[in-house]
Amino acid sequence: MTLNILKMNYETLYTFMLATMALSISPGPDNIYVLMQSLVNGKKHGLATTAGLMSGCLVHTSLLAFGVSMVIKESDTLFFGIKLLGGIYLFYLAYKVFKSSGSLSLTEGSVPKKGLWELFRQGFIMNVLNPKVAIFFLAFFPGFLFSDDMSTVVQFYVLGLVFMFVSFIIFSLIAVLSGSISSYFTSNPKMGIYLKWLQIIVFVGIAVYILVSDK
């Protein structure tokens, strides 16, 4: 008997990993928050913040897995609608980035010092209670289902774990290299513009991929 895992579309998974990596590198509120906590409190505190943020992703993955999986079972049309709205939302995010200034604010004075557990808990709560994360997961994940045979619930959890693992690695590197990253941004003000366009390309690229991908 052939195992379902052998029937996975690995190209889709690799594309998802690359998209997640690009998203994690692109400056956003979460990785900037990790960077600032690392600068102010130390690298261990940045790692604790990262662990909290990634743990919160598991909650969003569970809600997505069980909610959207039911939609997929009920109607191909509804599922297409979810992907269409997801693509439109990602285009909207690209537009918001385009309209932004592109400057990066790395002001340490506004970041209070906190303990490891407190930062882990804060990262977790920040993630779980942020509706934008839930909407982003809904927009991002459905276009990367990678198997016709495997349960959609299992596929969403695989995608969630891959997202968490890749993001954790990138965010951890940001925490460990926080001093060098901050110095580089300070001495290279144009980097904000380059990263702004990286975000735009990533959002548009993922949106197009989702819209043209099959169920």
Side-chain angles (χ1 to χ4, degrees):
M1 182 175 66
T2 304
L3 295 175
N4 283 340
I5 194 171
L6 298 179
K7 298 180 181 180
M8 295 193 306
N9 185 334
Y10 290 101
E11 183 178 343
T12 299
L13 277 177
Y14 295 148
T15 303
F16 180 81
M17 290 179 66
L18 290 174
T20 299
M21 187 179 301
L23 286 167
S24 300
I25 294 172
S26 301
D30 286 346
N31 50 20
I32 293 297
Y33 184 72
V34 169
L35 175 61
M36 296 313 302
Q37 290 296 345
S38 301
L39 287 172
V40 173
N41 295 299
K43 297 172 183 178
K44 290 183 179 179
H45 294 74
L47 292 173
T49 304
T50 297
L53 289 167
M54 293 306 106
S55 298
C57 288
L58 191 58
V59 176
H60 291 292
T61 299
S62 299
L63 294 173
L64 178 69
F66 290 102
V68 176
S69 293
M70 291 300 297
V71 172
I72 294 173
K73 290 178 182 178
E74 293 294 328
S75 171
D76 288 343
T77 303
L78 285 175
F79 182 59
F80 174 76
I82 288 176
K83 292 208 301 179
L84 179 62
L85 291 174
I88 292 172
Y89 178 69
L90 290 166
F91 279 126
Y92 167 71
L93 292 179
Y95 175 75
K96 284 188 65 177
V97 175
F98 175 74
K99 297 293 288 184
S100 67
S101 66
S103 61
L104 293 174
S105 177
L106 300 178
T107 305
E108 298 181 27
S110 60
V111 181
K113 292 184 176 293
K114 296 182 178 180
L116 292 174
W117 168 247
E118 188 176 2
L119 284 173
F120 174 88
R121 183 179 59 188
Q122 182 169 316
F124 177 81
I125 294 173
M126 277 176 56
N127 191 289
V128 170
L129 297 184
N130 187 349
K132 291 183 179 180
V133 177
I135 295 171
F136 181 77
F137 272 40
L138 181 61
F140 185 38
F141 282 31
F144 290 91
L145 294 176
F146 51 85
S147 175
D148 294 329
D149 304 296
M150 188 180 296
S151 162
T152 51
V153 172
V154 173
Q155 290 184 69
F156 278 127
Y157 270 109
V158 170
L159 293 175
L161 291 173
V162 169
F163 182 89
M164 291 166 62
F165 176 75
V166 173
S167 299
F168 183 82
I169 296 298
I170 299 296
F171 280 31
S172 295
L173 287 173
I174 290 174
V176 172
L177 301 175
S178 55
S180 300
I181 293 173
S182 177
S183 299
Y184 185 75
F185 283 151
T186 302
S187 59
N188 295 273
K190 289 186 177 180
M191 273 304 298
I193 301 297
Y194 299 146
L195 291 173
K196 170 183 173 177
W197 281 101
L198 172 62
Q199 278 186 291
I200 293 171
I201 292 169
V202 169
F203 283 139
V204 171
I206 295 173
V208 171
Y209 180 87
I210 288 174
L211 291 174
V212 302
S213 64
D214 295 325
K215 178 179 174 181

